[in-house]
Amino acid sequence: MIREKVKPTEIVIDTTGPDGNAVGLIKLALKYARIFRLDGDAIKSEMMAGDYDNLLTVFDNHFGDFITLEIARETNDD
């Protein structure tokens, strides 16, 4: 099927890709905090207050309504 290019309706970030690292996600959070007039420094501090899972949770809590984070869960198939 061939169709005209359409503008994506959602923002999706693959956390296993280059945009999914901690620094990239913090930069993105600061960008959207400015756009939505949120306290970016407070969000950044909250994101940095724990491990990577905490960072993802905080990001999702603040921006999950319009940005989807895709994660890959490892499975143990022994």
Side-chain angles (χ1 to χ4, degrees):
M1 175 201 293
I2 299 174
R3 71 175 187 185
E4 287 187 37
K5 189 172 184 175
V6 296
K7 190 172 186 173
T9 57
E10 67 178 328
I11 300 169
V12 178
I13 297 172
D14 177 2
T15 60
T16 62
D19 296 329
N21 65 64
V23 173
L25 290 171
I26 290 170
K27 286 182 180 179
L28 192 61
L30 291 171
K31 173 185 172 181
Y32 280 100
R34 280 190 305 275
I35 291 170
F36 293 111
R37 296 190 173 130
L38 302 173
D39 186 346
D41 290 332
I43 294 170
K44 178 182 174 183
S45 293
E46 189 181 353
M47 290 174 77
M48 295 176 67
D51 61 7
Y52 185 70
D53 285 336
N54 174 72
L55 183 137
L56 294 177
T57 299
V58 172
F59 186 95
D60 190 55
N61 287 343
H62 289 281
F63 307 107
D65 288 342
F66 55 94
I67 298 176
T68 301
L69 298 176
E70 289 184 332
I71 60 173
R73 293 282 184 208
E74 292 184 26
T75 60
N76 288 334
D77 293 333
D78 293 333

